[in-house]
Amino acid sequence: MDLFLYAALALLALLACCDLFVGVSNDAVNFLNSAVGSRTAPFWVIMAVASAGVLLGATFSSGMMEIAKTGVFVPEHLTFNDVMVVFVAVVVTDVLLLNTFNSLGLPTSTTVSILFELLGGAGALACWKVWSQGAPITDLGLYINSGKALVMILGILVSVVVAFISGFVIQYLTRIVFSFRYETVYRRAGGIFGGLCLSAILYFLIMKGAKGASFMRPEWLAWMNENSGLILGVTFLFFSGLFQAAILWKKANIFPVVILSGTFALAFAFAGNDLVNFVGVPIAALDSFNIYREASAAGPVDPATFTMGALRNVEKTPTVLLALSGLVMCFTLWFSKKAHRVIRTSVNLSSSSRGGKEQFGSSLPARLVVRGALHTNELIHQILPASLFRALDTRFVPKAAEPGKPELPFDELRASVNLVLAATLIASATSLKLPLSTTYVTFMVAMGSSLADRAWDRESAVYRVSGVLTVVSGWFLTAFTAAAACAIVSALFLWLGHWAMIAGMVIALCIIIRSNLLPSAEEERLEAVAQVTDRGDRTSVRELLTQSIDENLDETLELFSKSLQAFVREDIRELRELKARGVDFFERVSQGRGEYYRMSHEPVLSSGDRDARCFYYRAFTSMKEVSHALMGELGVAENYVANCHSPFKGRMLDNVILLAKDMELLRTRFSASRCTKLLTRLEDAQSDFMTQLSEEPISLRKSELYLGFLLFTREMLNRYMMVKLLQAELNGPQSSSASGANPEASAPSANTVADKESGSA
């Protein structure tokens, strides 16, 4: 038994460290996005401020640890063996669930998952005990703290709505007061705005959050509660006066101070609320072990009968454990490449520039919501006077970016509102010992403030509403999946015993290390692409294009060749796999083209850099069109075989087989001469079709599929020959032959390429 306990605690500690690393890598964007996006300070300054907030916030999270100990189940009715089964099942399920959701690209929340995993594990354990003891079904309520669990669940769900509405209302009122050209109002009321922000931060984080600190004494807390009004008033007057004096006398910009303070506050609130998601269960297991060991010191104790009511008496978590957890989180912030990549991606997606890939697709409910909102807006405009809307419109006219400077995703005013409001909401819940999803709260505040700022124009409204609906649906999906999965894992552990628990933790540890701590080839590719697009110079773009063109061409030829062969064999399974690969390929090429919009924000050092970026966009546009057409052809071929339509025969079959072989030959060497011969062969294949059509009846569906193969091949060859010409011109005449184009043909001018490209479709 002792060997099992020590092995289980060691594995839980390792899983907690890994979970901390992975969780912070994914969630760091929540408190760094606004500061990085507004470029209010150097990146290292932002990171230092956030690290201080995380480290201090971790020591204030002691009160939240009660959720894992007594928030969901009733420890008085559970034995030491029971709680260890639940804790191990929760940790194993959490790792597997989050890894699965991340792999599928589904939205999730560590708070929702850990809460419902505890609920599912405790529910399975309660059912097991009721069944094994032959007790009535009504005894299930003895083991589940249903009242507290319901309050926490409703709190998480309500927080999403409250965060969105609060973000919209506060940002709307703030923008009406300040507008986008807030210089005049800023000189008069900027100090009051700064004083309100810092007073809110101090009150909700220090005053409200102090009760959860592991080092606070009761007499300190009593004094702060008795004098909270006085402290808040003095704080507001002090900061307002200080900021206003700095504005009037020194013409100081207080927004960097507010944004950095908000970053500290949000990092503080994140650590205070979310630390329980990562280490709460392992710490609860350690506390249970200490209680059991102390009881065993007085005499032999049976872990199968020893109840854990003493868990309610463990009020404070040792500060050293919380501080160590905070240090791991800070280490992740500074050294996790994944965290930096997530931050960069999030800032790019929130940019106001058009043309990039939206984070969420469109959906029918989102379209209905947007259309309904448009009709409602028209109705309101008919009821209220036009002069009112003209006056309001003047407050929402965005300020144009200064020449030569990149357009920021959002200004300092909205960044301040996002940070301060999200931090106060999360800190308020932490003071009430209610877990919130910091991801959902931060996201919904940002969505509400962007809606108030009229960033939801008709070009992006459907996608933004889809994002909100996706987050809400993700909440329910995560909840039900987490509860069901943990219930199954708990039942397996109860059935198979202790060593199944050890095996489960080892498997979970291997999965989390392999999936998150060891970079995949795709992650390394994305990092390399990001470094190139961050520079955006001619040499870097040329190297990236050379690699991307060769890889995309090879994958296009491979997918099309294999799909033709599978179509001839009527292999529906391979066609489905190729169709899925085609979808992923299209997404990857689309993402590659979207990198152009990042390069467009970087300063242009020479005309060669500008030309290289232009060639990059034109080349990737052609490759994107080809990948989109390929995805369509793969889908049509898969549907044709799935619906059991008659196979090709005669000359049509011979030409499809020959076309598949030609694709394989092109993979070995793609040249203009081979493409010209293949284009001629396509004309012969179309003539053969007309001959066969006159000899025998051929269905319209079969005709369209066959001609679609020929049309796609022609378009693919034309576009990739244009891409190779663009590549040759970018490399220069001296390296034309190295680009893969026909070495006998000299590289055309940029105008000639543009003319050919416009007519190649």
Side-chain angles (χ1 to χ4, degrees), residues 47-315:
M47 292 289 288
V49 170
S51 299
V54 165
L55 189 58
L56 187 59
T59 63
F60 274 64
S61 65
S62 177
M64 293 296 293
M65 298 301 162
E66 294 181 16
I67 294 172
K69 302 170 187 175
T70 61
V72 175
F73 53 78
V74 181
E76 290 83 358
H77 294 93
L78 299 180
T79 66
F80 177 64
N81 280 348
D82 294 337
V83 297
M84 289 301 294
V85 167
V86 172
F87 291 149
V88 173
V90 167
V91 172
V92 171
T93 305
D94 193 58
V95 170
L96 299 178
L97 181 69
L98 294 181
N99 183 74
T100 302
F101 271 56
N102 290 335
S103 300
L104 298 176
L106 298 175
T108 186
S109 164
T110 54
T111 303
V112 174
S113 61
I114 203 74
L115 177 59
F116 277 88
E117 284 157 2
L118 283 168
L119 191 60
L125 180 63
C127 292
W128 180 278
K129 293 181 76 68
V130 167
W131 174 77
S132 62
Q133 297 172 4
I137 193 70
T138 54
D139 284 359
L140 288 175
L142 296 175
Y143 305 99
I144 306 296
N145 191 354
S146 56
K148 183 63 177 295
L150 182 61
V151 169
M152 291 188 293
I153 292 169
L154 291 178
I156 295 174
L157 186 58
V158 171
S159 68
V160 175
V161 180
V162 172
F164 182 81
I165 295 176
S166 301
F168 174 79
V169 172
I170 293 179
Q171 179 62 31
Y172 190 83
L173 296 176
T174 304
R175 190 62 74 185
I176 288 178
V177 173
F178 285 91
S179 80
F180 281 92
R181 294 168 174 80
Y182 44 76
E183 290 79 7
T184 302
V185 180
Y186 171 76
R187 285 193 295 270
R188 299 174 181 174
I192 297 177
F193 176 80
L196 284 173
C197 291
L198 264 70
S199 299
I201 290 172
L202 181 67
Y203 178 73
F204 284 102
L205 264 65
I206 306 301
M207 304 292 292
K208 287 290 187 181
K211 66 177 69 174
S214 56
F215 54 83
M216 291 297 291
R217 298 179 180 177
E219 57 271 22
W220 297 353
L221 295 174
W223 182 85
M224 293 172 64
N225 289 330
E226 292 174 1
N227 300 277
S228 58
L230 177 63
I231 296 174
L232 187 61
V234 171
T235 302
F236 172 71
L237 293 175
F238 172 76
F239 283 114
S240 297
L242 179 65
F243 286 150
Q244 196 63 42
I247 292 172
L248 295 177
W249 295 341
K250 298 294 184 180
K251 296 182 180 181
N253 181 10
I254 67 166
F255 282 114
V257 178
V258 174
I259 291 174
L260 290 177
S261 300
T263 300
F264 173 88
L266 194 52
F268 183 104
F270 163 80
N273 196 276
D274 276 18
L275 189 61
V276 65
N277 303 337
F278 309 127
V279 301
V281 172
I283 287 178
L286 178 62
D287 290 337
S288 301
F289 172 75
N290 289 333
I291 293 171
Y292 170 74
R293 186 177 59 180
E294 291 175 2
S296 301
V301 175
D302 186 1
T305 59
F306 179 71
T307 57
M308 299 304 299
L311 272 177
R312 293 192 182 276
N313 301 326
V314 184
E315 297 182 355

Side-chain angles (χ1 to χ4, degrees), residues 648-667:
F648 289 178
K649 60 182 180 179
R651 297 177 181 176
M652 294 173 64
L653 177 60
D654 296 337
N655 285 328
V656 169
I657 295 174
L658 187 60
L659 184 59
K661 294 180 179 179
D662 289 333
M663 295 298 103
E664 290 296 332
L665 288 175
L666 279 179
R667 289 185 66 191

Side-chain angles (χ1 to χ4, degrees), residues 560 564 567 633 637 648 656 705-713:
F560 189 48
L564 293 176
F567 174 78
E633 286 302 314
F648 289 178
V656 169
L705 180 59
Y706 178 79
L707 293 176
F709 287 155
L710 303 183
L711 181 61
F712 167 76
T713 305

Side-chain angles (χ1 to χ4, degrees), residues 618-637:
R618 288 157 63 185
F620 261 93
T621 297
S622 292
M623 291 189 290
K624 179 183 176 181
E625 293 298 326
V626 172
S627 62
H628 184 269
L630 174 63
M631 182 176 62
E633 286 302 314
L634 293 175
V636 173

Side-chain angles (χ1 to χ4, degrees), residues 52 98 108 122 151 255 284 311 342 382 440 513 541 544 565 603:
L98 294 181
T108 186
V151 169
F255 282 114
L311 272 177
V342 171
Q382 293 174 2
Y440 288 178
I513 291 176
V541 172
L544 177 60
Q565 297 172 25

